[in-house]
Amino acid sequence: MKTGMRNILLAASLALTTGPALAADPVEITVQRFFGTCDADWGTNTDISKAIGECGIITSQINKFAADNPDIKVNVNTVEWPGYDQLTAQLASGEPPDLVTIHESVLSDYQSKGLLQPLDEVLKSAGVDPAGFTAAGREGVTKDGQIFGLPIDSHTMLWHINMNYFRKAGLVNADGTLILPKTADELLAQAKQFKEKVGKPYLVQSMANEKGAFYRAMYIYLTQMKSDFFADPTHLKLNTPEAKKIVQLFKDIYDQDLTTKDQDYAASLSGFTKGDGGVLLNGTWVVGDFDALSKAQGNALSDGYTVYPYPPVFGGTPAYWSDGHSWALTKKDRSPEQTAAIQKFLKFMADTNFEWARTGHLPAQQAVIDSAQFKALPHVTTILDIAATAKPLPAQVRHQFAVNDIIGEEVAAAIMGQKEIDAALADAETRVNDLLAN
């Protein structure tokens, strides 16, 4: 009896101590991304198909993943573009995020220092087959024979065109299609005609703080002319007749007031939507936003927006600068549950790659590119060839963001008359080669 009572009391005591079974705490992972903030518009949206633009879509993707996986808590760090100074500091302090958005041109800078974890086994366990990536995506995330990122897009620079102004300038064919210049002389003549008829600059450019813009134009036209300025990945050769032709064209446009001047990136974007000029030089990442704007009434792009790759005005064959966004995994200790959560997250991002392609970027999953759903998106037909012709710099070229900035700074100095063209190209060579030698 005493024993039985003791057991009853013990059972009651245990029940009071442990209480009812508790639900397990959610597994926490931290993802860090750029692409801006837009919580006021999309902070609670889980219907990805309704989201517009890079910020809206990636915010909605993460919201949807979190809603579908209540056992996983996703902590989101949103950093100012591109966020690499912050990432470097986080890695140095030993407290990096788990997953981070990163340009494929930057992957080598972190991978070569052993700061990123190869994803081959993670993706395999997640059910994501790298054989399904596009060739550009696979090349962009493959370093030393291993996969170091989940590619989510390929992107390049484009001509974003205000067709309302081009019609007014008489730069359309009888059937209403756009007349694009075929040579540098045609481009200058078209720009002068545009300004005379419309009273606005032909080009809208970010020249105040977008160092990479001129580099990307140089890359596109040098590649089309088959001037391989990085034939040796450790040495830049830019002081060439082909490079001089490109800089001279942009300098002529600048000197003849055929472009906006002194605008930073945000001002050029805003200015184009307000009707500052005819052609905005910007990337694939704004196609979705501009298309949505053109379908609304009462703005400069209403019923009048289209987009094309850079016309090959120096001859040669179509070729385009390319980079890509990807998700990379930092190297640090994790529990098996956290690794499983990361696998789920990456699988979800791969499976929703079509939604990301609605930004205007070219998707990184070949099945999405091949799909009728993707080909039915606005403006895809005019830029789809880029998926096959765009190429990134060789992965062996180190410090690619810094290289881009140096070339952009020197070319901008020549265009704005602060240096002679020869001197600017020579200085770009010297500065880049000094950087690559260290």
Side-chain angles (χ1 to χ4, degrees), residues 13-260:
S13 173
L14 286 171
L16 288 171
T17 302
T18 59
L22 298 174
D25 290 336
V27 178
E28 291 195 35
I29 60 172
T30 300
V31 300
Q32 185 158 296
R33 67 166 185 83
F34 39 70
F35 303 121
T37 57
C38 50
D39 282 355
D41 293 322
W42 307 108
T44 59
N45 180 53
T46 57
D47 185 347
I48 309 172
S49 67
K50 290 183 177 176
I52 297 170
E54 286 182 314
C55 186
I57 293 175
I58 198 163
T59 299
S60 301
Q61 282 179 304
I62 295 173
N63 290 346
K64 174 65 173 169
F65 175 79
D68 289 352
N69 296 276
D71 56 329
I72 300 172
K73 182 181 179 185
V74 182
N75 301 311
V76 182
N77 293 343
T78 303
V79 296
E80 186 176 355
W81 191 93
Y84 297 131
D85 289 344
Q86 183 170 334
L87 177 61
T88 300
Q90 291 167 319
L91 288 163
S93 69
E95 297 181 352
D98 292 295
L99 289 163
V100 59
T101 50
I102 194 167
H103 290 83
E104 290 164 8
S105 60
V106 178
L107 268 176
S108 293
D109 292 343
Y110 293 95
Q111 171 266 337
S112 62
K113 295 180 175 64
L115 299 172
L116 300 179
Q117 182 174 324
L119 282 179
D120 304 73
E121 290 303 317
V122 174
L123 293 178
K124 184 178 179 181
S125 298
V128 178
D129 185 356
F133 299 164
T134 61
R138 195 163 49 250
E139 181 179 344
V141 298
T142 302
K143 312 295 176 188
D144 297 331
Q146 291 182 293
I147 302 289
F148 278 91
L150 172 73
I152 59 175
D153 65 52
S154 294
H155 53 257
T156 189
M157 294 292 284
L158 298 168
W159 273 31
H160 300 273
I161 297 166
N162 184 327
M163 284 297 292
N164 295 323
Y165 283 166
F166 266 66
R167 295 185 194 107
K168 187 175 180 179
L171 294 172
V172 292
N173 296 301
D175 63 358
T177 56
L178 178 70
I179 298 174
L180 284 170
K182 297 182 181 64
T183 66
D185 288 341
E186 280 187 18
L187 193 159
L188 273 177
Q190 192 173 104
K192 291 174 184 174
Q193 180 178 327
F194 184 95
K195 187 177 181 182
E196 185 179 305
K197 300 282 187 183
V198 180
K200 304 272 188 178
Y202 184 75
L203 292 186
V204 178
Q205 296 186 87
S206 170
M207 303 183 72
N209 68 344
E210 179 64 5
K211 298 174 182 175
F214 286 122
Y215 157 77
R216 293 163 186 164
M218 295 288 289
Y219 184 110
I220 290 170
Y221 286 127
L222 286 172
T223 307
Q224 290 181 354
M225 289 190 279
K226 298 190 182 305
S227 178
D228 192 353
F229 56 105
F230 264 120
D232 172 2
T234 65
H235 193 87
L236 171 68
K237 182 172 177 56
L238 193 65
N239 197 3
T240 61
E242 293 84 2
K244 291 177 187 175
K245 284 183 182 178
I246 301 165
V247 180
Q248 187 63 58
L249 172 62
F250 278 92
K251 181 169 174 52
D252 289 343
I253 291 169
Y254 184 88
D255 290 345
Q256 296 175 40
D257 294 325
L258 302 174
T259 179
T260 58

Side-chain angles (χ1 to χ4, degrees), residues 47 316 346 404 413:
D47 185 347
L346 293 174
N404 298 355

Side-chain angles (χ1 to χ4, degrees), residues 136 154-158 284 308-310 320-322 362 382-391:
S154 294
H155 53 257
T156 189
M157 294 292 284
L158 298 168
T284 47
Y308 277 84
Y310 276 46
Y320 303 99
W321 163 81
S322 174
L362 294 162
T382 59
I383 64 174
L384 185 59
D385 287 348
I386 290 175
T389 54
K391 282 192 70 67

